[in-house]
Amino acid sequence: MAKHWADFQYEIYLNGMSGAVPRLPTDLTRLEALAETRLGPGPVGYVAGGAGDGSTMRANRAALERRRIVPRMLRDVAERDLSVRVLGRPLPAPVALAPVGVLSIMHPDAESAAALAAAAHGVPYILSSASSTPMEQVAEALGDTERWFQLYWGKDREVTRSFLGRAKAAGFSALLVTLDTPLLSWRPRDLDLAYLPFLHGVGTANYFTDPAFQAGLAKPVHEDPNAAVLHFLGLFGDAGHTWPDLAFLRQNWDGPIVLKGILHPDDARLAADAGMDGVVVSNHGGRQVAGSVAAADALPRVADAVGDRLTVLFDSGVRSGDDVFKALALGARAVLLGRPYVYGLGLDGQAGVEHVIRCLLAEFDLTLALSGHATPTTISAADLAEDPM
């Protein structure tokens, strides 16, 4: 019998019989405000902030809120199965933890704590190449849990080649290539505090432990950390990449390749033409282009363009179980959850991330059932209405 994630609510109520209540809110939209009061302004601003005045972040939320679920009645939803297949891999639910870098600014256990939380519930973990923990150490925490590796595609081909080899050796099965960050955007919350963790060697663990990266240094990292940081900054992004360059990644990675940051249907078609396996419809959570199209508004057009050729994933603005439902109805096969789990990490370490995972999937399970579905695979655009707002 499939696991009923919704049973988490009864666990909470039963614990309440002895006076215990959850350490964190079960409404995940409240976590950001809580993090603002408990954590440092630099780290919170780095996670919560966006490009420009935040208009794209607001648009992401508005686009999801504008869609309303239309529940159907008298359908058998007594037994539900949230499991799906994504990129040829079986997943317990259509949700993965999105790649978020520099997690040590939120909690000292950083990516390892998030990975352990993901592993505890079988949820795929996507490791950022800008993590503050080396990929091999995170892989160890994950055990047999499905893991994907996110690449910031920089200027040094040998470092890229080395990263891909290390990721494959560490058991990462799919490669997500972030295309929307060849340059850092104008981010006022970080600029006002002059806060950039990379300048302090945070988020550079995969680079500083990499033989190809080390080969470009005059001295070992520990002897001249400032030089290592400058070398990292010089190769981190590359605004010169074009579509033909994807051939290099395909030559050096034999698993699925997913392009992250796709918003235009024509770019999705180009990804399919280039032999890619999937796309993530994403505007980087509103962190890269102020005034960008909302990710949920871009999703149906991308799914219509390539849904039969590529696996379409989604992130940017997801905060709740009903957001997951709506993203699937708009054409996504699965959803990547970002900021909420990072706030959970900052507030309560591994336990905080587990809380976020369980709340999100319990709410999704209940939303699914109460809308008349026993499996995510039957959700479609017919389950949504658009609120004119």
Side-chain angles (χ1 to χ4, degrees), residues 87 110 147 151 169 183 231 247 271 289 291 310 315 326 329 363:
L87 299 171
R147 82 278 316 248
L151 176 71
L183 304 164
H231 186 51
V289 178
L310 296 177
D315 78 22
K326 291 173 185 179
E363 188 176 20

Side-chain angles (χ1 to χ4, degrees), residues 152-203:
Y152 281 116
W153 191 8
K155 290 176 182 169
D156 190 317
R157 281 194 160 205
E158 292 312 309
V159 171
T160 299
R161 200 190 313 268
S162 180
F163 270 27
L164 299 187
R166 289 170 62 193
K168 182 58 71 174
F172 291 87
S173 63
L175 177 67
L176 271 70
V177 185
T178 296
L179 300 183
D180 59 16
T181 317
L183 304 164
L184 282 183
S185 68
W186 189 254
R187 299 177 183 173
R189 282 194 71 165
D190 299 336
L191 290 162
D192 289 351
L193 295 172
Y195 184 85
L196 187 63
F198 300 113
L199 294 179
H200 303 280
V202 178

Side-chain angles (χ1 to χ4, degrees), residues 367-384:
T367 302
L368 188 76
L370 293 169
S371 301
H373 295 272
T375 167
T377 58
T378 59
I379 300 173
S380 74
D383 294 298
L384 297 184

Side-chain angles (χ1 to χ4, degrees), residues 161-387:
R161 200 190 313 268
S162 180
F163 270 27
L164 299 187
R166 289 170 62 193
K168 182 58 71 174
F172 291 87
S173 63
L175 177 67
L176 271 70
V177 185
T178 296
L179 300 183
D180 59 16
T181 317
L183 304 164
L184 282 183
S185 68
W186 189 254
R187 299 177 183 173
R189 282 194 71 165
D190 299 336
L191 290 162
D192 289 351
L193 295 172
Y195 184 85
L196 187 63
F198 300 113
L199 294 179
H200 303 280
V202 178
T204 57
N206 288 314
Y207 297 84
F208 287 6
T209 57
D210 192 81
F213 179 89
Q214 293 168 353
L217 299 175
K219 296 179 180 178
V221 174
H222 68 275
E223 288 186 18
D224 194 347
N226 288 337
V229 167
L230 289 174
H231 186 51
F232 162 80
L233 293 173
L235 60 77
F236 177 73
D238 188 344
H241 286 313
T242 59
W243 291 95
D245 294 324
L246 290 170
F248 172 80
L249 299 179
R250 178 51 80 196
Q251 289 160 10
N252 289 278
W253 183 266
D254 58 8
I257 301 178
V258 179
L259 303 185
K260 185 172 183 289
I262 299 298
L263 294 166
H264 197 291
D266 288 349
D267 282 348
R269 293 184 185 99
L270 288 167
D273 293 344
M276 300 294 102
D277 300 278
V279 293
V280 183
V281 175
S282 167
N283 55 32
H284 215 101
R287 290 170 64 75
Q288 280 301 100
V289 178
S292 167
V293 61
D297 285 334
L299 175 57
R301 294 192 284 271
V302 170
D304 288 346
V306 297
D308 55 342
R309 300 173 67 192
L310 296 177
T311 297
V312 177
L313 308 177
F314 174 80
D315 78 22
S316 299
V318 176
R319 298 291 181 272
S320 64
D322 58 286
D323 290 339
V324 175
F325 184 102
K326 291 173 185 179
L328 299 182
L330 292 170
R333 291 284 295 279
V335 167
L336 313 185
L337 180 73
R339 285 184 177 97
Y341 91 79
V342 179
Y343 297 134
L345 174 70
L347 292 164
D348 202 17
Q350 178 186 338
V353 181
E354 289 197 46
H355 174 83
V356 168
I357 292 170
R358 296 188 75 191
C359 287
L360 184 88
L361 290 178
E363 188 176 20
F364 174 60
D365 189 3
L366 288 164
T367 302
L368 188 76
L370 293 169
S371 301
H373 295 272
T375 167
T377 58
T378 59
I379 300 173
S380 74
D383 294 298
L384 297 184
E386 194 151 340
D387 187 338

